[in-house]
Amino acid sequence: MNTPLLLFIESNTTGTGRQFAQRARALGAEPVLLSADPGRYPYAAEDELRTVVVDTADGDALWAAVQRLAAGARVAGVLSSSEYYVATAAELAARLELPGPSADAVRACRDKSVQRRTLAEADVPVPWFSVAGEVAEAVAAAQWRGAPVVVKPVQGSGSLGVRLCRDPGEVADHAGELLAATVNERGLSTPARVLVEQYLTGPEFSVEVFGEHAVVTVAKHVGAPPVFVETGHDVPAVLPAPEAAALVDSAVHAVKALGLGWGAAHVELRLDGGVARVIEVNPRLAGGMIPELVRRARGVDLVGAQVRAGLGLPVDLTDTTGTVGAAAIRFLTAGTDAVLGDTDAAEATALAVPGVVAAALYRPPGTRVGPAEDFRGRLGHVIAVAAGPGEAARAADTARALGLATALEHAPMKEAMPV
């Protein structure tokens, strides 16, 4: 009998993309990656993943490629580990009468302006916000509400384009830059709209939801403004019971209000005076290695659950391993311009810290690096596990500091211009 196919429309460049394919194989399905440029994903060649080169932004070409695959084998599911292609995968699954979320709900969710309006109308707590299609509108919204404000694109991922603007001039500059962009970093067209929203200063969390069930609450670490680079996560978050309940209630309410409720959703929130305000709902698994932290700390395999759901198999989110503990990740980022030195030594130094189970540098020695503006500026990560969240966090913080101290060399001074 032919092996069923699980189609993946593009992939994450880091994180769980490889794990999706691995889980598919473990369940007896053959993963097939459809991509405009499979070379973006080194793991595809390393793992000998079957690939189909196709313009994934061209709906007709993509459907034709899927039909050719379906003519030779049974297609059992269609998924994507990339937020940019979740709606595309959902549309294809629906056309093939296979499991998946509502493509319309995913598409609406990915437009942050539509998402915000939907949540506000459903009485889900959100920051105040305004949608602007012109620089003057963005500046007027900031002046009406009062700076500082956060200005961000209505579509995006990984904190790309998210910036704290402290006065009308900064709002005008950043809104103008965002509105001038016609495509994103994947070359996909972007709406000419931005969000101007309330700057919340309370602690940030995420709630990982599967279906309509909250699996775990994660404490998030975010770098200093004006950018909002995620620098680490702790699983589980340690919170008083009322605040923990408020976060879960807001997250699940948001998922239901948006018409999701199939598979994974990553809900980001901030506590604002005891109110759990939803910053955004992402209709996908969390990035930032959060699924790996959940697996290590709670014994729940969210990647496996998503793959099982995509294949139409039963999903069990209970811990079957007896795992009771905590996990923490810290991302390595440069504070100043520098050059990566001995990355192998940096990884070894981090791994020598008790409790650290993984350490990775993403770039080769000699790479010039600088302060991170978004997730693409992260240089590597360390993961620690322990009996409690505090122990895991301390181990990860220590490993991060030691790894950075070993990996980074000061950038050479620029030569003086001749006079």
Side-chain angles (χ1 to χ4, degrees):
M1 184 175 180
N2 289 338
T3 301
L5 306 183
L6 180 55
L7 309 185
F8 293 104
I9 311 304
E10 299 291 352
S11 172
N12 283 350
T13 51
T14 59
T16 57
R18 166 177 258 154
Q19 294 176 356
F20 268 80
Q22 291 172 338
R23 301 299 193 275
R25 282 174 169 160
L27 289 167
E30 180 185 2
V32 181
L33 175 65
L34 288 82
S35 172
D37 179 14
R40 290 177 61 94
Y41 318 112
Y43 76 86
E46 293 166 4
D47 295 355
E48 298 182 341
L49 190 66
R50 181 179 173 186
T51 59
V52 175
V53 178
V54 58
D55 183 355
T56 48
D58 182 332
D60 292 336
L62 186 56
W63 176 239
V66 170
Q67 286 182 305
R68 287 193 293 271
L69 288 165
R74 181 172 69 88
V75 175
V78 187
L79 292 172
S80 181
S81 60
S82 169
E83 178 168 331
Y84 298 106
Y85 296 92
V86 173
T88 301
E91 290 170 355
L92 291 170
R95 293 183 74 172
L96 294 168
E97 298 184 345
L98 295 172
S102 161
D104 289 340
V106 171
R107 194 178 298 105
C109 183
R110 288 211 62 246
D111 186 317
K112 294 179 175 65
S113 61
V114 176
Q115 180 189 128
R116 277 286 174 78
R117 290 191 180 106
T118 302
L119 295 179
E121 290 169 0
D123 294 325
V124 176
V126 296
W128 62 254
F129 67 96
S130 183
V131 183
E134 297 180 356
V135 170
E137 289 180 313
V139 171
Q143 290 175 325
W144 177 52
R145 294 289 191 173
V149 295
V150 175
V151 179
K152 63 174 68 170
V154 296
Q155 287 186 1
S157 181
S159 301
L160 287 166
V162 181
R163 178 170 287 269
L164 179 68
C165 298
R166 300 184 184 277
D167 57 49
E170 290 186 358
V171 171
D173 290 344
H174 190 54
E177 180 181 340
L178 294 178
L179 290 169
T182 57
V183 297
N184 62 21
E185 74 281 3
R186 286 280 187 130
L188 302 173
S189 61
T190 57
R193 287 174 283 118
V194 298
L195 272 184
V196 180
E197 67 181 30
Q198 180 183 4
Y199 173 43
L200 300 176
T201 59
E204 187 168 352
F205 301 87
S206 70
V207 177
E208 308 313 317
V209 178
F210 202 93
E212 295 181 353
H213 170 70
V215 177
V216 69
T217 299
V218 180
K220 302 172 76 69
H221 298 263
V222 181
V227 292
F228 296 88
V229 180
E230 293 182 357
T231 58
H233 309 289
D234 299 331
V235 176
V238 179
L239 286 159
E243 294 182 346
L247 288 166
V248 167
D249 287 348
S250 287
V252 173
H253 188 183
V255 166
K256 291 179 179 179
L258 292 167
L260 298 173
W262 184 95
H266 171 61
V267 186
E268 298 176 324
L269 314 94
R270 279 189 186 260
L271 284 173
D272 176 40
V275 178
R277 298 193 185 279
V278 174
I279 303 299
E280 62 185 52
V281 178
N282 302 279
R284 55 166 172 80
L285 276 178
M289 303 293 286
I290 288 175
E292 180 66 8
L293 301 185
V294 176
R295 186 185 68 81
R296 289 182 178 274
R298 287 294 182 260
V300 177
D301 183 3
L302 289 173
V303 177
Q306 188 77 345
V307 171
R308 290 184 68 89
L311 290 169
L313 300 174
V315 173
D316 185 357
L317 296 172
T318 60
D319 174 16
T320 58
T321 66
T323 302
V324 178
I329 189 169
R330 295 294 182 269
F331 293 101
L332 280 63
T333 56
T336 60
D337 291 341
V339 176
L340 283 181
D342 191 337
T343 55
D344 288 341
E347 291 175 1
T349 299
L351 285 167
V353 175
V356 173
V357 296
L361 272 295
Y362 307 150
R363 304 173 193 180
T367 303
R368 295 180 66 89
V369 298
E373 291 285 321
D374 52 58
F375 78 98
R376 297 172 299 183
R378 299 190 299 212
L379 311 178
H381 71 264
V382 296
I383 295 176
V385 297
E391 299 168 70
R394 285 190 291 273
D397 287 336
T398 299
R400 175 189 180 276
L402 292 174
L404 278 174
T406 306
L408 296 184
E409 301 172 353
H410 291 298
M413 296 285 289
K414 294 181 179 179
E415 295 183 6
M417 295 293 291
V419 296

